[in-house]
Amino acid sequence: MAAGLVLTSLGPVAVHATAPAVAPAPQAAAAPAGVSNIAPTTADATPPAAPASPLLARDGAPGGAILPGIGQPVNGVYGLQPQVTRNGEFAHWMHDVVLLPTITAISLFVLALLAWVVFRYRRAANPVPSKTSHNTTIEVLWTLLPVLALVLIAVPSIGLLQAQFKPAPAGAVTLKAIGNQWYWTYQYPDHGGFEITANLLKEKGEAAAGERTRTDADGPRLLATDNRIVLPVGVPIRLITTSNDVIHSWAVPAFWIKLDAIPGRLNETSFTIDKPGVYFGQCSELCGARHAYMPIAVEAVTPAQFAAWIAAKGGTMPARGQASDKVIPQPGAEGSAAKVAEGNTVDASTGPTENVTVAAPTAPQGATNNPATGNAGQ
């Protein structure tokens, strides 16, 4: 392992930007009661974007430019992707400054011990083997040294783990990601409850007549989607994942986010994007035949552009200072989309049913003519 690390470092391979030498602070805990922690995502926080903004396109047309080497894998490059969240920056520092040196030192130490034992205790140099069965000093060392190594790794790990799963503060933007075989649907419960379906953009020659195919402006092959989700920069994001069929996993490496989407369960985490841009990810839980064709495309924009995009999708901005008060039911529970559809079917055949939640309005997929129900069976 040590030899491999050395050889890799000598090879003509580009490297992502290294982590800072000083540990950046992970995402701080939510503010205590009585302390203002309201994100600037309300209607009166920033003026809306210009009507001609490409972010207002309802067909998922490319808006922001894709920066080379940012938010996506790069051929011939090793190392972690450049991070755009505080947790990601801390994890990047921990990987480069704590984990990699610790692993390298242990590997070199064990390799040196093996070489010394092979040379020192070979038959020619040691014709009479030692019959020693105990050595107190060595036994103490091989117990304490691994414990010290584990403590060295555990201290920053526990802080990072705590920061990754801290509750989102008041004013956070709630994004609900729902996994399907094999596409993603997204809901914005705090902004009118509209829904977006994101499918893989196919290559030329693979798409049916009338479907929009991938271009370089959409993103890399197998990562570009017909509809990007849009999130604001500098605003806490409350991510909730679930699934309609099997276990999926919502993963965006540049955010240091990987959260399983499990049927009948809501998983939650939070993060804040620091830099505008387009960031790509994929489902990272084996979910069936087309598991490799469930890309994720996130466009991070300013709060003003986010507000304009929400308006273009038919959504609404919450009142200033209002915390999230929307109930987000699990799939199959009362109030979920499946139960609402079931109630509507009953209403159509037998009359109104009491206590059935009205379905939230959904935005059309727009002018791409791409199917809005995913690529199941294709």
Side-chain angles (χ1 to χ4, degrees):
M1 183 183 296
L5 291 173
V6 173
L7 292 175
T8 303
S9 65
L10 297 177
V13 184
V15 186
H16 279 307
T18 57
V22 180
Q27 186 171 325
V35 178
S36 176
N37 195 13
I38 303 302
T41 57
T42 57
D44 56 347
T46 49
S53 170
L55 294 174
L56 304 186
R58 302 180 73 91
D59 60 353
I66 300 174
L67 301 177
I70 303 297
Q72 58 183 299
V74 179
N75 186 30
V77 175
Y78 68 88
L80 301 176
Q81 289 188 20
Q83 298 297 304
V84 294
T85 65
R86 293 182 63 182
N87 286 343
E89 291 175 354
F90 181 79
H92 196 177
W93 170 87
M94 179 181 168
H95 175 272
D96 288 356
V97 178
V98 178
L99 292 180
L100 193 57
T102 302
I103 293 171
T104 303
I106 292 174
S107 300
L108 292 174
F109 177 67
V110 173
L111 181 63
L113 282 179
L114 288 174
W116 180 73
V117 168
V118 170
F119 177 78
R120 173 64 181 80
Y121 296 103
R122 68 190 190 279
R123 177 178 296 181
N126 192 52
V128 180
S130 172
K131 297 184 180 297
T132 303
S133 60
H134 293 284
N135 187 300
T136 303
T137 302
I138 293 179
E139 291 178 358
V140 170
L141 287 177
W142 74 37
T143 301
L144 289 182
L145 291 180
V147 170
L148 292 177
L150 290 176
V151 170
L152 176 66
I153 297 172
V155 171
S157 296
I158 293 174
L160 177 60
L161 188 64
Q162 182 185 25
Q164 283 182 292
F165 293 98
K166 77 174 190 65
V173 172
T174 301
L175 174 68
K176 183 179 181 182
I178 305 170
N180 307 271
Q181 289 180 312
W182 291 273
Y183 62 99
W184 293 96
T185 53
Y186 300 95
Q187 297 174 358
Y188 288 77
D190 298 332
H191 299 82
F194 64 90
E195 184 173 285
I196 296 172
T197 300
N199 286 277
L200 171 76
L201 276 177
K202 301 176 183 178
E203 301 297 303
K204 292 181 179 179
E206 297 178 353
E211 288 187 345
R212 181 163 69 90
T213 56
R214 185 194 68 86
T215 64
D216 291 339
D218 292 305
R221 177 179 175 270
L222 298 181
L223 291 178
T225 63
D226 58 353
N227 286 285
R228 296 175 183 169
I229 56 172
V230 179
L231 294 173
V233 171
V235 177
I237 307 299
R238 177 192 180 203
L239 173 66
I240 296 176
T241 60
T242 189
S243 171
N244 283 328
D245 35 54
V246 299
I247 298 178
H248 302 275
S249 188
W250 200 87
V252 178
F255 298 165
W256 202 258
I257 290 292
K258 179 183 181 297
L259 193 64
D260 284 353
I262 302 174
R265 178 171 178 173
L266 300 178
N267 284 339
E268 179 176 338
T269 188
S270 64
F271 60 95
T272 302
I273 307 171
D274 293 335
K275 300 176 183 178
V278 182
Y279 306 99
F280 297 94
Q282 290 177 300
C283 174
S284 58
E285 183 70 36
L286 187 59
C287 59
R290 293 185 60 83
H291 160 67
Y293 305 98
M294 283 185 65
I296 300 165
V298 180
E299 187 156 344
V301 299
T302 63
Q305 291 174 309
F306 177 72
W309 181 81
I310 290 292
K313 290 295 183 181
T316 56
M317 297 297 292
R320 184 174 182 83
Q322 176 181 338
S324 176
D325 59 353
K326 302 298 186 294
V327 177
I328 302 177
Q330 296 182 6
E334 293 297 334
S336 65
K339 285 294 184 181
V340 171
E342 180 182 339
N344 291 339
T345 302
V346 173
D347 287 350
S349 59
T350 63
T353 302
E354 295 182 359
N355 298 326
V356 175
T357 305
V358 178
T362 58
Q365 290 298 305
T368 61
N369 293 324
N370 290 355
T373 56
N375 48 26
Q378 298 182 7

